[in-house]
């Protein structure tokens, strides 16, 4: 039996932290009190205007490869989860492949499931590895969501940040990824979206992120609890065997509510939303890398990832380290 195991992680945040007060100084009609109380966010990072997701992804990827103790030549699959690719095409994954200098015996493509993108990408890579067709995948979440923000819309622009996180997922005779559950319900595509597109040399429609915050909040709390139970059932493991929850970092109130519904104390939940904001597809691998590097998540422990984002698309994965 071939399983897929996470062999190493890496992450990257561009620039200095931008605090809530910094946003006020930049002219956003908000306050540190409001943002902290409603979201738990105190700071986020923004990439320089000429820095693309692929550049953030490259740094995170190099760190993950180093942590996994392998070389770029060992990588035969690159999957980048992003909703903010450098270009319409080619994929950000091909730019990462080129940046790393990986030869052409490697597949590379992007996955777009917005804030759940990393879980979708991990699930995809796991299936490649379990099939035996590929041995070692780089799975990356990378975003420059700052490019999509309308700075006059205070209900959205305070929530998001830029960054990248990566894992090396490799074939193993031990699990590894124990179970994954993915879902989507496109009937909700209007609750969180960027309506614009490029046509005839112009951006047609609204190029900024739009969101019905309360609808997203209610949907998130409901489906994240359901999918967490689903993945536990699929794996056939006891609920109390979970050592850590690494959730998508959208809002501390969503995270607290999910943890409460699962009966998990917050001491078992990795949170970085306070210092990263919502980095969409990058948020789970960024949080994971923090908790591995600071020694919280250790070999032998069991970890749940879960996320939800535009589409809406949501999912969870249960992984043994
Ligand atoms: N600063 C100050 N006041 C604000 C701000 C702000 N940044 N944003 C909104 N307000 C005001 C509104 O204008 C409104 O004022 P009014 O009562 O005078 O009209 C008041 O605050 C309440 O606005 P609501 O939009 O109802 O605020 P709500 O309590 O719903 O909080 C929030 C908004 C934080 C976005 C919340 O709905 C939420 O967390 N939703 C979840 C969505 C989320 O996390 N999305 C991330 C992307 S999706 C994902 O990753 C899962």
């Amino acid at each position: 039996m071939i399983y897929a195991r996470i062999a190493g992680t890496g992450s990257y945040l561009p620039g200095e932290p931008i605090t809530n007060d910094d946003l006020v100084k930049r002219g956003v009609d908000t306050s540190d009190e409001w943002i902290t109380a409603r979201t738990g966010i105190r700071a986020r990072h923004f990439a320089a205007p000429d820095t693309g997701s692929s550049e953030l992804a490259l740094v995170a990827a190099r760190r993950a490869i180093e942590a996994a103790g392998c070389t770029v030549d060992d990588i035969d699959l690159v999957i980048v989860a992003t909703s903010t690719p450098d270009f319409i095409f080619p994929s950000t994954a091909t730019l990462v492949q080129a940046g790393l200098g990986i030869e052409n015996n490697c597949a590379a493509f992007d996955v777009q499931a917005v804030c759940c993108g990393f879980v979708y990408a991990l699930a995809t890579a796991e299936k490649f590895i379990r099939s035996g067709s590929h041995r070692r995948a780089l799975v990356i979440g990378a975003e420059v969501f700052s490019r999509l923000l309308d700075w006059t819309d205070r209900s959205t622009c305070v929530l998001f940040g830029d960054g990248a996180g990566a894992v090396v997922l490799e074939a193993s005779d031990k699990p590894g990824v124990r179970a994954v559950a993915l879902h989507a319900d496109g009937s909700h595509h209007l609750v969180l979206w960027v309506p614009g597109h490029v046509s005839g040399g112009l951006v047609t429609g609204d190029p900024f992120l739009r969101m019905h915050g309360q609808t997203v909040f209610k949907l998130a709390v409901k489906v994240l609890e359901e999918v967490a139970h689903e993945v536990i059932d699929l794996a056939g493991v006891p609920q109390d065997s979970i050592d850590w929850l690494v959730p998508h970092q959208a809002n501390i109130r969503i995270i607290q509510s999910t943890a409460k519904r699962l009966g998990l104390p917050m001491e078992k939940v990795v949170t970085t939303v306070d210092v990263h904001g919502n980095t969409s597809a990058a948020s789970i691998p960024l949080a994971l890398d923090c908790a591995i590097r600071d020694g919280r998540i250790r070999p032998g422990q069991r970890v749940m990832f879960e996320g939800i984002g535009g589409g809406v698309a949501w999912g969870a994965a249960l992984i043994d380290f």
Side-chain angles (χ1 to χ4, degrees):
M1 185 76 143
I2 306 173
Y3 295 100
R5 283 183 78 85
I6 291 180
T9 64
S11 63
Y12 178 64
L13 291 161
E16 295 299 314
I18 306 292
T19 65
N20 295 339
D21 285 334
D22 291 333
L23 295 183
V24 175
K25 283 185 205 139
R26 290 177 181 206
V28 180
D29 179 16
T30 189
S31 66
D32 178 50
E33 293 73 24
W34 192 95
I35 301 171
T36 308
R38 303 278 178 130
T39 71
I41 297 168
R42 292 188 285 111
R44 73 289 290 147
H45 291 245
F46 294 139
D50 58 351
T51 300
S53 289
S54 70
E55 289 161 80
L56 310 186
L58 254 178
V59 182
R62 287 198 179 103
R63 290 175 179 170
I65 289 169
E66 189 185 356
C70 61
T71 71
V72 294
D73 297 328
D74 299 319
I75 304 294
D76 56 9
L77 175 64
V78 180
I79 305 181
V80 176
T82 186
S83 299
T84 47
D86 291 30
F87 307 120
I88 290 175
F89 73 79
S91 70
T92 308
T94 57
L95 306 179
V96 172
Q97 181 204 4
L100 290 172
I102 300 176
E103 299 288 333
N104 64 7
N105 57 348
C106 172
F109 59 91
D110 288 359
V111 162
Q112 212 262 46
V114 202
C115 300
C116 196
F118 182 76
V119 180
Y120 268 70
L122 188 82
T124 307
E126 191 240 358
K127 285 167 192 14
F128 274 72
I129 288 172
R130 289 191 73 149
S131 76
S133 67
H134 291 71
R135 295 286 304 169
R136 201 170 276 106
L138 255 179
V139 186
I140 305 168
E143 302 280 16
V144 285
F145 252 57
S146 57
R147 308 287 150 76
L148 305 176
L149 302 178
D150 174 358
W151 296 104
T152 66
D153 178 4
R154 65 181 181 173
S155 68
T156 55
C157 72
V158 301
L159 303 176
F160 295 91
D162 303 338
V167 304
V168 172
L169 193 72
E170 66 181 21
S172 167
D173 53 6
K174 283 190 294 184
V177 179
R178 285 201 166 263
V180 184
L182 302 178
H183 294 275
D185 182 350
S187 69
H188 295 298
H189 69 275
L190 300 180
V191 303
L192 178 55
W193 65 329
V194 179
H197 60 279
V198 173
S199 173
L202 298 169
V203 176
T204 305
D206 183 349
F208 294 119
L209 182 152
R210 303 297 175 200
M211 180 177 74
H212 295 276
Q214 289 180 9
T215 310
V216 173
F217 194 102
K218 284 178 200 148
L219 265 171
V221 169
K222 176 176 178 291
V223 302
L224 289 177
E225 181 189 5
E226 289 169 1
V227 79
H229 287 299
E230 181 183 352
V231 87
I232 289 167
D233 289 347
L234 279 171
V237 300
Q239 185 165 324
D240 62 6
S241 68
I242 294 165
D243 296 296
W244 293 100
L245 173 65
V246 183
H248 168 50
Q249 308 284 321
N251 182 313
I252 194 68
R253 293 189 298 144
I254 295 176
I255 295 172
Q256 285 166 339
S257 168
T258 308
K260 192 170 169 199
R261 285 162 176 245
L262 292 175
L264 273 178
M266 284 304 285
E267 295 73 45
K268 291 188 164 196
V269 183
V270 178
T271 60
T272 51
V273 67
D274 56 335
V275 284
H276 297 174
N278 181 346
T279 58
S280 190
S283 90
I284 292 174
L286 262 165
L288 174 70
D289 188 48
C290 288
I292 286 181
R293 284 177 192 265
D294 69 18
R296 275 178 290 170
I297 296 179
R298 297 187 305 275
Q301 292 191 321
R302 180 163 292 158
V303 179
M304 183 188 289
F305 302 157
E306 60 167 17
I308 177 171
V312 290
W314 68 98
L318 199 63
I319 291 142
D320 286 351
F321 276 80

